[in-house]
């Protein structure tokens, strides 16, 4: 093991593009009372917009009781990241109102943005939409301009990941979604009446809730255990880490680092290691040439997403395997 004493291996966690993107220019900003007032005004505008499109403004589904005699949820959403929040909001917009969202992470730590996402900014264009569901006042741009001003938005190149995380928390709050953090789903089982029994575990204890439907919005963590090659997994943990791990980058100062992979996460971790003082970082890739085209961009087209579910299983598999 002598030859490995100054080497830490960081494993690529997700296939993505190695596209080189412009960094944000440095924009100085300090919070002020005016900004708080602007956000409050935006919140009032959102409330008015939602009220204006609330028809028929009543629950669509009749109440159903679970085996415990309590009202069953219409939908239990597992995961309070951007997809879970958008899905829950979409359900409420369709008058499916008895929705509960749960997430095992503390509030503000859902998804990758404040955990293992190590790029400073989102890779998507700053005009990115999605969680707003076509309501202009709910877009990231509206939130950003209310918080920082229109000039700040015009000068922005890419959305800082911390701001995107704050925006998602804002959306979940102003849309009135019911979210329980620090809550883990440990079991799903069929129940009487075609309901689903979900076992929830939190600091308050263990309880079972019943739901008509369960929507899994668990993101990349939902595909199973993060994988690394067995020969690397056998190394001592101070010599290797996965890109989804909490990496002690300060410990890499003066070290030589090997990164297995050459996608976006690989480059992000390589850059972070160099910024932390690593002497050298070497990336290893199975491809003859690294990926330079971002196939995920096709997912940003409304037509693609709107009709993906209409494709046959074969075509959906072909598209998603390529992406």
């Amino acid at each position: 093991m002598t030859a490995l004493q100054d080497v830490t291996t960081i494993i690529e966690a997700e296939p993505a593009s190695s596209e080189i993107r412009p960094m944000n220019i440095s924009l100085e900003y300090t919070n002020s009372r005016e900004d708080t007032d602007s956000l409050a005004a935006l919140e009032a505008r959102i409330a008015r917009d939602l009220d204006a499109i609330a028809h028929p403004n009543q629950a669509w589904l009749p109440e159903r009781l679970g085996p415990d005699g309590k009202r069953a949820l219409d939908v239990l959403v597992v995961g309070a990241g951007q997809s879970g929040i958008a899905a829950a909001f979409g359900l409420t917009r369709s008058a499916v109102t008895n929705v509960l969202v749960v997430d095992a992470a503390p509030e503000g730590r859902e998804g990758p943005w404040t955990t293992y996402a190590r790029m400073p900014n989102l890779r998507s264009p700053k005009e990115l939409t999605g969680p707003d569901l076509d309501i202009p006042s709910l877009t990231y741009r509206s939130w950003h301009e209310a918080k920082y001003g229109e000039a700040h938005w015009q000068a922005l190149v890419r959305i800082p990941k911390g701001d995107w995380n704050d925006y998602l928390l804002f959306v979940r709050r102003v849309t009135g979604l019911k979210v329980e953090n620090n809550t883990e789903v440990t079991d799903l089982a069929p129940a009487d009446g075609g309901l689903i029994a979900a076992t929830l575990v939190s600091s308050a204890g263990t309880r079972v809730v019943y739901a008509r439907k369960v929507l899994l919005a668990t993101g990349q963590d939902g595909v199973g255990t993060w994988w690394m090659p067995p020969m690397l997994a056998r190394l001592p943990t101070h010599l290797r880490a996965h890109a989804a791990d909490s990496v002690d980058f300060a410990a890499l100062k003066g070290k030589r680092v090997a990164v297995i992979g050459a996608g976006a996460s690989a480059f992000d971790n390589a850059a972070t290691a160099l910024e932390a003082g690593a002497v050298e970082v070497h990336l290893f890739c199975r491809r003859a040439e690294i990926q330079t085209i971002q196939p995920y961009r096709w997912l940003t087209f409304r037509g693609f997403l709107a009709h993906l579910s209409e494709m046959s299983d074969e075509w959906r598999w072909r598209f998603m395997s390529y992406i």
Side-chain angles (χ1 to χ4, degrees), residues 12-318:
E12 165 68 299
E14 54 178 316
S17 169
S18 56
E19 172 190 8
I20 297 175
R21 307 170 311 283
M23 300 293 289
N24 272 345
I25 60 175
S26 176
L27 299 174
E28 294 186 1
Y29 179 81
T30 55
N31 288 309
S32 67
R33 181 172 180 177
E34 181 180 350
D35 308 318
T36 303
D37 292 343
S38 296
L39 286 171
L42 176 62
E43 190 168 341
R45 178 180 153 204
I46 291 169
R48 186 179 185 283
D49 288 346
L50 291 177
D51 183 65
I53 56 175
H55 179 77
N57 202 23
Q58 65 184 60
W60 176 26
L61 301 176
E63 181 178 300
R64 285 194 60 184
L65 298 180
D68 57 357
K70 299 178 181 178
R71 183 183 178 188
L73 296 168
D74 293 334
V75 181
L76 171 66
V77 179
V78 184
Q82 62 183 20
S83 294
I85 292 301
F89 179 43
L91 287 166
T92 62
R93 289 285 305 116
S94 296
V96 179
T97 56
N98 188 18
V99 177
L100 173 65
V101 185
V102 298
D103 200 291
E107 182 175 348
R109 301 282 290 176
E110 307 90 350
W113 311 115
T114 60
T115 53
Y116 59 83
R118 297 188 173 99
M119 71 288 193
N121 310 308
L122 272 64
R123 296 184 172 87
S124 306
K126 68 177 183 179
E127 296 82 7
L128 174 71
T129 59
D132 52 88
L133 300 189
D134 292 334
I135 299 171
S137 58
L138 260 181
T139 59
Y140 175 82
R141 176 175 179 171
S142 293
W143 177 86
H144 190 101
E145 289 183 346
K147 184 174 178 62
Y148 299 116
E150 184 177 355
H152 195 280
W153 166 260
Q154 295 298 333
L156 187 72
V157 178
R158 290 286 189 269
I159 300 173
K161 63 179 181 180
D163 280 344
W164 180 252
N165 195 63
D166 290 345
Y167 161 71
L168 294 175
L169 293 172
F170 174 80
V171 169
R172 107 179 197 183
R173 180 174 62 80
V174 299
T175 54
L177 299 178
K178 184 179 179 181
V179 182
E180 293 184 12
N181 284 94
N182 301 300
T183 300
E184 185 177 2
V185 177
T186 59
D187 187 62
L188 295 173
D192 293 341
L195 297 174
I196 300 171
T199 302
L200 307 184
V201 178
S202 68
S203 59
T206 300
R207 75 184 196 274
V208 175
V209 299
Y210 296 92
R212 282 182 162 101
K213 300 289 183 182
V214 175
L215 190 157
L216 299 180
T218 48
Q220 296 179 49
D221 286 333
V223 300
T225 302
W226 293 107
W227 181 86
M228 67 172 62
M231 76 289 284
L232 298 176
R234 288 193 292 267
L235 293 174
T237 55
H238 70 282
L239 294 179
R240 53 88 177 156
H242 192 283
D245 292 338
S246 177
V247 179
D248 182 9
F249 284 96
L252 302 181
K253 185 176 182 179
K255 303 290 184 65
R256 291 179 293 125
V257 179
V259 178
I260 310 302
S265 292
F267 276 90
D268 289 340
N269 281 278
T272 305
L274 288 170
E275 290 168 352
V279 174
E280 297 177 358
V281 177
H282 300 269
L283 287 82
F284 298 90
C285 179
R286 288 177 295 183
R287 294 172 180 261
E289 297 180 359
I290 64 173
Q291 187 179 34
T292 57
I293 298 175
Q294 174 56 283
Y296 275 105
R297 286 295 174 88
W298 285 99
L299 289 175
T300 66
F301 286 95
R302 182 186 300 271
F304 179 83
L305 287 176
H307 299 287
L308 179 63
S309 62
E310 300 171 10
M311 296 181 186
S312 66
D313 289 344
E314 177 187 0
W315 271 100
R316 280 203 302 267
W317 178 256
R318 291 177 68 178

